[in-house]
Amino acid sequence: EFCKVMDDIKAGTQYIFQTKNEMTFALSATGHAGMECVMSNVLEPGRTVLIANNGIWGVRSKDMAERQGATVKEINVSAGDNFSLAQLEAAVKEHKPDLLFVTHGESSTGVVQPLDGVGAMCHANNCLFAVDTVASLGGVPLKADELEIDIIYTGSQKVLGVPPGTAPISFSPRAVASFKSRKVKPTSFYLDLDWLGEYWNCWPDKGRIYHHTGPVNAMYGLREGLAMVAEEGLEN
């Protein structure tokens, strides 16, 4: 029965993110774990990340990235401002990162970051595009595949309005390929995409395995919240 709940959550998460990514599921943890899941699976020594830092989530994502042993670069604007596409493109061309990390809804200042064109720019520069939507998803329009977002995550307790403790997340085929090309295992077993992908039956060539005991009540709540969004429709 719980496996069916997991499958429903996967489908509902694909809907709210507007993505067809197979590697889509929900972490048994809060939005901070979504951020750390990005860093621990994509980064390692020898890789570079560019953090678009305009508030607390830029500060914390930088801290998490540094713990992976990656080279961490920043682009900064004043608190209360967002980044232009030209600013982001100039920084990507300068630092040549493997990953650009952007916060869509910077809740510490109330700023929404425009995303149009950023994914395409990243891919033209051989760079992955990761977006934190914890404070924004469901509150403003966002279509991950159309925006060419490679990794996107959110938190259950914000606009979705369900109990805290789960973090929907999705990885594009490009992001999965980057994960597969790692030289070393991720630093976190709990957030290891290889294990989580099997737990959520996302790998096409593998079956489902046990990884951890899921927070059943929280997952039931998440499924209901996702169903309510689907029933109302994102367009509404």
Side-chain angles (χ1 to χ4, degrees):
E1 182 181 353
F2 188 61
C3 288
K4 176 60 167 59
V5 172
M6 295 170 75
D7 290 341
D8 290 345
I9 289 171
K10 178 177 178 178
T13 299
Q14 288 172 321
Y15 175 71
I16 61 166
F17 286 146
Q18 291 291 281
T19 182
K20 296 180 180 178
N21 295 339
E22 283 298 317
M23 191 61 68
T24 299
F25 51 86
L27 296 168
S28 301
T30 63
H32 274 82
M35 182 181 289
E36 194 136 33
C37 189
V38 174
M39 303 306 176
S40 64
N41 283 292
V42 176
L43 300 181
E44 62 181 340
R47 291 187 177 181
T48 300
V49 59
L50 175 62
I51 305 290
N53 187 351
N54 62 341
I56 187 174
W57 305 117
V59 172
R60 294 193 180 186
S61 60
K62 178 188 176 185
D63 188 343
M64 291 185 190
E66 289 173 340
R67 293 168 189 249
Q68 303 303 320
T71 299
V72 182
K73 302 294 184 179
E74 280 185 282
I75 176 174
N76 302 90
V77 293
S78 300
D81 291 335
N82 55 29
F83 301 89
S84 69
L85 177 57
Q87 287 174 311
L88 294 173
E89 183 172 16
V92 166
K93 288 183 179 296
E94 176 185 356
H95 298 297
K96 298 176 174 57
D98 299 284
L99 174 71
L100 170 64
F101 182 89
V102 170
T103 302
H104 185 223
E106 178 50 74
S107 57
S108 65
T109 59
V111 169
V112 175
Q113 171 62 44
L115 301 176
D116 289 343
V118 180
M121 178 276 293
C122 285
H123 298 151
N125 288 278
N126 196 31
C127 173
L128 295 175
F129 182 34
V131 181
D132 176 312
T133 68
V134 170
S136 60
L137 188 78
V140 294
L142 187 150
K143 297 181 179 180
D145 286 358
E146 288 188 14
L147 292 167
E148 298 188 40
I149 297 172
D150 292 300
I151 313 171
I152 183 171
Y153 66 90
T154 192
S156 56
Q157 80 281 10
K158 298 291 187 179
V159 183
L160 287 177
V162 299
T166 59
I169 191 167
S170 183
F171 292 78
S172 72
R174 186 181 281 104
V176 172
S178 175
F179 169 78
K180 288 181 175 181
S181 70
R182 293 179 61 93
K183 294 181 174 63
V184 297
K185 290 182 178 181
T187 55
S188 170
F189 174 85
Y190 191 66
L191 298 176
D192 187 327
L193 191 62
D194 195 23
W195 281 91
L196 290 170
E198 287 193 70
Y199 181 61
W200 284 87
N201 200 25
C202 295
W203 292 110
D205 55 342
K206 301 178 182 180
R208 195 190 299 270
I209 63 166
Y210 170 79
H211 175 246
H212 65 274
T213 300
V216 176
N217 292 351
M219 289 295 179
Y220 268 91
L222 176 60
R223 181 178 68 167
E224 182 62 21
L226 293 170
M228 291 171 68
V229 172
E231 181 178 354
E232 181 176 342
L234 286 171
E235 67 277 8
N236 298 315

